[in-house]
Amino acid sequence: MARLPALLTMSTLPGNPIMRSLRLLLALAAFACAPAAFAQAYPSKPVRIIVPYPAGGPVDALARRLAESLRTQTGQPFLVDNRGGASGSLGADAVAKAAPDGHTLLLTIPDPLINAASTLRQLPYDPHKDFAFITQVATTGVVLMANPDLKARSLSDLERAGRAHASGLSFGSWGPGSLPHVIGQAMVQKSGVNFVHVPYRGAAPALQDLLGRQIGFAFGPANLAAQYAQKGQVSVIAVTGKRRSSLLPEVPTFAEQGYGTPPFLLTAWMGLLAPAGTPAAIIDTLHRQVGAALKDPGFLGFLASLGAEPVGSTAAQFRQDFEREFPLVNQLIQSTGLTPE
């Protein structure tokens, strides 16, 4: 009987159990290393950060500063893409339908994910299923600024001004069902004053009309409120949340002025998300990169200049906060009598 060639022994025959086991072990090892290798290769091309509001607002400002930090860390461009409209749902939908490869991200406040579920007749995405949560970057109270012609210095003054307007006193929000819309409607319920809602495509255009004295009051970030107040362009009346803003320590909260129910205690978090199905390794990489930004004194100084506080929650914490806040906010929206548009 002829001997087998040296390279074709029993241990190397294709059907040999030893070889099958070896191939399986090699495959498992390669699979285990794949996520780390994938994360190391990310990002492999420019990344879009979609902001579902026009340029010039606080979310846009944060997105641009965060994009700069991520570009510095990775060497790849992070480009801000403003997609305003439909209470932020247009931009959120673009991310929900993007490829889940980490190269399209969403930086947003809660409105397109939470409020819009009760205020828009049809959402083109499922906020619970169509996004991968990465981290809450920061949170900030929302400031009520009034037209200085009203001579209002408090919520009581604003109520009196509203009653003096037979056709109602207008207020601007950054879209139907947005946090300012909910707050304004809750003010109507509490005071009985006819405050008339005027929706805009973002905070920036609403504030422009306020500065032009086209509306009675509007809502925005503390940094802009401080700037406008210093120039005499607005009267700063109140801030949401449980604490006063560090930028406006002299301005009382809504609760301090008798508006202590839940709508007036809400703050606006700004969070980073990706399309559902984005690999966990990429989510972890982005979380670490945002965490590095939140340790940078320059970045923290930027947040302080907005009147915002850093968060840096884990993906799991972010989702838990979202799931807890979702029913609360939508119950509040329904209690104000808002109807889907």
Side-chain angles (χ1 to χ4, degrees):
M1 180 176 178
R3 295 181 60 189
L4 292 170
L7 295 179
L8 190 61
T9 64
M10 288 297 294
S11 63
T12 60
L13 286 174
N16 187 276
I18 296 175
M19 287 302 297
R20 286 200 301 270
S21 298
L22 181 59
R23 285 195 295 270
L24 178 60
L25 288 172
L26 290 172
L28 289 173
F31 181 78
C33 294
F38 197 17
Q40 288 172 1
Y42 173 82
S44 59
K45 59 183 179 180
V47 177
R48 281 191 308 157
I49 301 179
I50 291 182
V51 173
Y53 298 101
V59 186
D60 175 68
L62 176 60
R64 294 180 188 280
R65 187 58 183 261
L66 182 61
E68 179 184 333
S69 175
L70 296 175
R71 177 191 59 78
T72 300
Q73 293 183 56
T74 65
Q76 283 284 1
F78 280 71
L79 309 173
V80 176
D81 183 355
N82 297 93
R83 300 278 190 97
S87 299
S89 65
L90 293 182
D93 187 45
V95 175
K97 292 178 170 55
D101 59 4
H103 291 90
T104 303
L105 306 174
L106 175 69
L107 186 72
T108 185
I109 55 177
D111 297 6
L113 302 177
I114 297 179
N115 306 49
S118 286
T119 57
L120 297 180
R121 292 190 184 279
Q122 283 190 324
L123 269 185
Y125 50 85
D126 185 332
H128 300 274
K129 297 179 180 179
D130 291 343
F131 298 95
F133 290 70
I134 300 171
T135 186
Q136 283 186 21
V137 182
T139 186
T140 182
V142 178
V143 180
L144 189 159
M145 294 168 266
N147 184 328
D149 291 344
L150 298 176
K151 309 297 182 185
R153 294 292 181 269
S154 67
L155 291 173
S156 296
D157 290 345
L158 199 62
E159 290 174 8
R160 283 193 290 271
R163 291 190 179 97
H165 284 69
S167 59
L169 183 63
S170 60
F171 73 94
S173 81
W174 50 69
S178 62
L179 180 55
H181 188 187
V182 172
I183 294 170
Q185 289 300 124
M187 289 172 64
V188 170
Q189 279 196 333
K190 185 180 187 311
S191 66
V193 177
N194 184 23
F195 295 125
V196 180
H197 178 230
V198 181
Y200 291 83
R201 290 171 63 90
L207 292 175
Q208 285 302 311
D209 267 9
L210 177 64
L211 296 180
R213 307 193 180 189
Q214 302 298 308
I215 54 178
F217 61 96
F219 300 84
N223 65 320
L224 292 183
Q227 292 175 25
Y228 298 154
Q230 189 174 28
K231 297 176 182 177
Q233 295 174 298
V234 301
S235 299
V236 183
I237 305 297
V239 60
T240 67
K242 298 178 181 179
R243 296 187 299 275
R244 295 189 180 195
S245 168
S246 59
L247 291 183
L248 299 163
E250 73 285 357
V251 177
T253 64
F254 275 86
E256 289 178 275
Q257 300 182 65
Y259 284 69
T261 51
F264 308 106
L265 300 177
L266 293 171
T267 58
W269 49 254
M270 292 175 275
L272 189 66
L273 303 96
T278 300
I282 290 179
I283 299 297
D284 291 343
T285 296
L286 284 164
H287 181 266
R288 287 195 302 272
Q289 291 167 348
V290 174
L294 291 175
K295 293 177 183 176
D296 174 30
F299 193 88
L300 292 175
F302 166 76
L303 290 181
S305 73
L306 292 180
E309 299 179 2
V311 181
S313 57
T314 66
Q317 289 168 338
F318 187 7
R319 179 171 282 280
Q320 287 171 4
D321 289 345
F322 163 77
E323 297 293 353
R324 181 175 60 251
E325 192 172 321
F326 188 93
L328 170 65
V329 171
N330 283 288
Q331 287 169 11
L332 291 173
I333 291 173
Q334 292 161 16
S335 73
T336 64
L338 295 179
T339 56
E341 298 181 1

